[in-house]
Amino acid sequence: MKHLIAAFLVLLALDISASTAPAENRRAHAIAMHGEPRYPAGFQHFEYANPDAPKGGSVRLATIGSFDSYNALIPKGVAAAGISHIYDSLMVNSADEPFTMYGLLAAEIEVPADRSWVRFHLRPEARFHDGHPVTAADVVFTFNLIMEQGKPFFRAYYGNVSKVSAVSTHVVQFDFAPGDNRELALIIGQMQVLPEHYWQDRDFTRTNLEPPLGSGPYRIASGSAGRSVTYERVADYWGRDLPVNRGQNNFDRITYDYYRDQTVALEAFKAGEYDFREEGNSKLWATAYTGPAVNKGLLRKELIDHDNPTGMQGYAFNTRREQFSDRRVRYALAHAFDFEWTNANLFYGQYTRTQSYFSNSELASSGLPSRAELELLEPLRKQIPPEVFTTPYVAPTTDGSGNIRNNLRRALKLLREAGWHIRDGKLTQQADGKTMQFEMLMYDAAFQRVAHPFVQNLEKLGVQVEQRMVDINQYISRLREYDFDMVVFSFPQSNSPGNEQRIFWGSEYADRPDSRNVIGIRNPAVDTLVEKLIAARTREDLVTRSRALDRVLLWNHYVIPQWHIRSHRIAFWDRFSRPAIAPRQELGFMTWWVDPQKDRALEAARGTLKK
């Protein structure tokens, strides 16, 4: 994540162009989206990492489903969990700042005042696992490869790059199209770099299980499709002593075991088959972590608060379907979801209702628009719902009793206004006599229990809903092709939203397979606000523009908002130690380490559990 300052002198000797850079260009070890980096040049390690953490030990983790590929960059197949461990990127972000990038493969980053281009000065010592140096040619090759053959995401995320060129062996430059897109310099730094000499004679687009060549702290040791994959720490990893890596990547081996579903995976965890688990099911968190191992403190569970925006999870409509094209219909159906009853009776009161696409952050809208927001929204008044200007958004609420008669009355009123009425117990469109029926696509059996009360309430409105369970691979395939009516979907957010918003909401991506615009939004007002958000030059502007976008998304009722929690729910066997300071914007599991003393004690204590 950070650089070795000594590399600066080496680069000056190797690269004449760097020594003649214009005075107004800024060349530094790090770059912040807004303001200045927290960690200065020459820093030794991130505050949330322990540089003295011992290396060693093995850790087993669990994941659900299957995999058939070691390539996560193409729109085919399902990539193995943890595959990013084998690659280094140009830069890495710190986990205790909104959005600041520090050099990894790149020792330094150089930008002009207007950020119209960016240069990365690569470390001469950077190596792939076969000993080949990482060069500017590899960066150019990678960028062109993923833009031409990679996931559609890359063409959107890096779409404003007009040119990439190798200035010298260790300097690569990206030129940007005209416009205000200050984030590009940072997000280009997120790009993992592939070895040209390895991929130039291979078919990048083909899913396969040949372990690829990387440059990162781990390599693939073994794998079996759909069963497990194991990574081993690279003993002579070129970047092990960089400040951004000190105290991280401490495990010698990391294994991801695959399980059919969460119920089976939890039982395996309690039996000691794997070591660490982040729990996503509130019922299991409240009731399932019991037994002698828990009572004796051998298996521990903790809540760790964080400052991450929790984004939006909800029942997402496929607005490509005619029956969901009217926002009044979408809003009406939202009245059938009784969050208050669900939270009390199914979730043990653990969740908060989500009221924003940027929940748990200053980016979230609330109340009525500010003066600064109105300056953005007024020119779009004819294109956005009138409630944006008059009514604070609040998702439909209930008293939690389970009786939602008032909500259903409101829903029927909205449906009548949209041309629907109940005929013979079925919600029917007056214009053509079609009935309202749809499929809720899901892959997690645990969610059927949660969705069932919502489905029952929809049936009271005359809506016929089928809960369709499919395996994870089929689910991903159908999602990529937008072959669904409704899904439960999450739109994660960071503290510095930017170019990825195009892929979430942009009209250009509504019909591109495998984009994140699963809803199918084609809204010129949303497009305008997304571009203004991307062009924000200050943190204040970013906050204002995020809130304005948030309001327009909310009042269009593209999803039925669900819930969120502001902490990580983790459980683990007591064989780890971790830094005293936790990162506030991610869990930071890769800063943990196997504590030999705890490991021995746990092994001895496990023997007593079996007696």
Side-chain angles (χ1 to χ4, degrees), residues 229-463:
V229 58
T230 296
Y231 303 89
E232 61 183 3
R233 189 164 57 84
V234 178
D236 59 350
Y237 170 48
W238 74 271
R240 62 187 179 277
D241 294 324
L242 295 180
V244 295
N245 285 329
R246 288 189 186 127
Q248 306 202 54
N249 308 312
N250 301 315
F251 309 116
D252 277 351
R253 294 172 72 86
I254 305 172
T255 296
Y256 293 86
D257 289 326
Y258 280 77
Y259 290 89
R260 183 176 67 252
D261 57 45
Q262 292 289 359
T263 301
V264 175
L266 175 59
E267 292 307 311
F269 174 66
K270 292 164 65 176
E273 295 297 319
Y274 61 97
D275 303 304
F276 174 93
R277 175 180 173 89
E278 186 164 9
E279 183 56 68
N281 185 298
S282 58
K283 179 181 179 181
L284 297 179
W285 182 255
T287 64
Y289 291 86
T290 59
V294 175
N295 296 339
K296 293 184 177 182
L298 307 180
L299 195 162
R300 297 173 55 188
K301 67 175 195 173
E302 292 184 19
L303 285 173
I304 300 179
D305 294 338
H306 62 71
D307 294 332
N308 293 325
T310 52
M312 172 63 77
Q313 177 180 295
Y315 293 105
F317 295 99
N318 185 350
T319 62
R320 302 170 189 84
R321 304 288 198 255
E322 178 61 29
Q323 60 188 347
F324 296 145
S325 62
D326 190 320
R327 77 180 185 96
R328 292 171 298 181
V329 171
R330 300 193 295 265
Y331 190 33
L333 300 185
H335 285 75
F337 174 50
D338 188 348
F339 166 75
E340 287 73 18
W341 183 92
T342 300
N343 192 38
N345 291 275
L346 301 182
F347 297 154
Y348 299 84
Q350 294 178 43
Y351 290 117
T352 299
R353 185 72 188 272
T354 298
Q355 307 280 1
S356 167
Y357 283 82
F358 302 94
S359 54
N360 197 39
S361 79
E362 63 176 344
L363 305 165
S365 62
S366 62
L368 292 174
S370 66
R371 180 177 299 178
E373 288 176 69
L374 288 173
E375 290 178 3
L376 295 167
L377 295 168
E378 280 292 354
L380 306 172
R381 182 179 280 270
K382 294 182 179 179
Q383 300 175 333
I384 59 182
E387 296 93 333
V388 168
F389 298 93
T390 63
T391 311
Y393 177 85
V394 178
T397 60
T398 72
D399 62 8
S401 67
N403 183 348
I404 64 166
R405 190 172 302 166
N406 291 336
N407 276 31
L408 297 181
R409 286 198 192 101
R410 173 63 175 156
L412 286 171
K413 181 175 183 297
L414 289 164
L415 289 166
R416 284 193 295 269
E417 291 173 0
W420 295 80
H421 68 284
I422 294 180
R423 179 191 298 170
D424 299 327
K426 297 180 179 180
L427 189 64
T428 306
Q429 195 168 37
Q430 289 177 318
D432 56 18
K434 291 182 179 178
T435 59
M436 173 75 76
Q437 50 188 315
F438 64 86
E439 178 182 274
M440 186 184 296
L441 185 68
M442 57 184 67
Y443 67 90
D444 187 349
F447 211 90
Q448 282 185 306
R449 175 184 74 99
V450 176
H452 185 65
F454 174 46
V455 170
Q456 286 183 313
N457 288 334
L458 288 170
E459 290 173 349
K460 294 175 184 176
L461 292 173
V463 181

Side-chain angles (χ1 to χ4, degrees), residues 98-239:
F99 192 19
T100 302
M101 300 292 291
Y102 295 82
L104 181 52
L105 287 171
E108 293 182 313
I109 182 173
E110 180 182 358
V111 292
D114 63 0
R115 296 193 186 179
S116 58
W117 53 263
V118 61
R119 282 183 180 177
F120 296 98
H121 297 259
L122 303 181
R123 302 179 192 274
E125 69 270 28
R127 292 288 187 276
F128 293 106
H129 294 156
D130 64 354
H132 276 70
V134 181
T135 68
D138 293 305
V139 180
V140 174
F141 171 81
T142 300
F143 182 81
N144 291 332
L145 185 66
I146 64 174
M147 292 293 280
E148 294 168 7
Q149 301 180 31
K151 291 183 175 181
F153 170 85
F154 296 116
R155 291 186 284 280
Y157 203 45
Y158 301 138
N160 284 95
V161 175
S162 60
K163 180 182 178 183
V164 56
S165 54
V167 177
S168 68
T169 302
H170 292 104
V171 179
V172 61
Q173 178 165 321
F174 292 82
D175 294 294
F176 305 144
D180 218 350
N181 194 332
R182 296 176 62 80
E183 186 188 48
L184 268 177
L186 285 79
I187 65 173
I188 288 292
Q190 297 171 335
M191 188 176 71
Q192 296 173 338
V193 178
L194 305 177
E196 180 179 15
H197 67 280
Y198 175 85
W199 283 107
Q200 61 186 356
D201 297 322
R202 286 176 167 84
D203 183 357
F204 183 71
T205 64
R206 185 171 64 91
T207 60
N208 68 76
L209 293 172
E210 177 187 3
L213 178 65
S215 62
Y218 289 88
R219 61 165 58 95
I220 296 173
S222 63
S224 177
R227 299 184 64 182
S228 70
V229 58
T230 296
Y231 303 89
E232 61 183 3
R233 189 164 57 84
V234 178
D236 59 350
Y237 170 48
W238 74 271

Side-chain angles (χ1 to χ4, degrees), residues 496-552:
S496 185
N499 285 263
E500 75 287 344
Q501 303 303 306
R502 287 177 179 155
I503 306 113
F504 287 170
W505 329 118
S507 299
E508 183 180 356
Y509 303 97
D511 292 320
R512 290 191 184 183
D514 203 29
S515 86
R516 297 284 289 182
N517 188 352
V518 298
I519 297 167
I521 298 173
R522 300 179 190 85
N523 186 317
V526 170
D527 292 337
T528 297
L529 291 170
V530 165
E531 293 307 312
K532 288 186 177 295
L533 183 153
I534 291 170
R537 297 184 66 86
T538 67
R539 181 70 185 177
E540 183 180 11
D541 283 346
L542 182 69
V543 170
T544 296
R545 297 174 188 193
S546 297
R547 291 175 179 176
L549 173 63
D550 190 28
R551 295 180 192 281
V552 174

